[in-house]
Amino acid sequence: MSDYETTFKLLDADGDGLISPDELVRLMDILGQPITIERAEAAVKQLDLDGDGLINVQELGNFLDW
Ligand SMILES: [Ca+2]
Ligand SMILES: [Ca+2]
C-alpha cells in the first residue's frame, strides 16, 4: 500500500473510496483547523480533475506530489 492510500483511508471516513467535502470538514476539525463546508467544497473543486465533485486516490496523489 502506498503512502497516498494510507492518507486516503484516513480521509475517507465512510470508506466509499472517494473523499467528499463533508469528509474534508471532518478531517480539518480533527486537525484543529475547522473550515466551513463552502471552503471544503472550494478545496475539493481545486483537486477534482474529473469533475465529479469528489476526490479519488489519483486526484489526492496528484495533490500530494505537487
Ligand atoms: Ca467517502
Ligand atoms: Ca474527482
Side-chain angles (χ1 to χ4, degrees):
M1 192 187 283
S2 71
D3 287 352
Y4 296 156
E5 283 171 271
T6 310
T7 307
F8 193 88
K9 287 217 164 129
L10 290 174
L11 288 165
D12 185 16
D14 63 6
D16 66 353
L18 296 163
I19 295 165
S20 61
D22 246 19
E23 286 167 339
L24 206 54
V25 167
R26 227 172 303 169
L27 174 81
M28 295 312 286
D29 231 32
I30 291 166
L31 294 180
Q33 302 188 315
I35 58 171
T36 61
I37 186 72
E38 285 82 11
R39 279 201 59 189
E41 279 167 1
V44 165
K45 219 175 232 179
Q46 282 192 339
L47 302 185
D48 186 16
L49 301 176
D50 62 7
D52 63 357
L54 299 162
I55 303 303
N56 63 34
V57 71
Q58 283 86 13
E59 289 163 347
L60 183 72
N62 283 337
F63 173 66
L64 295 177
D65 263 345
W66 172 78

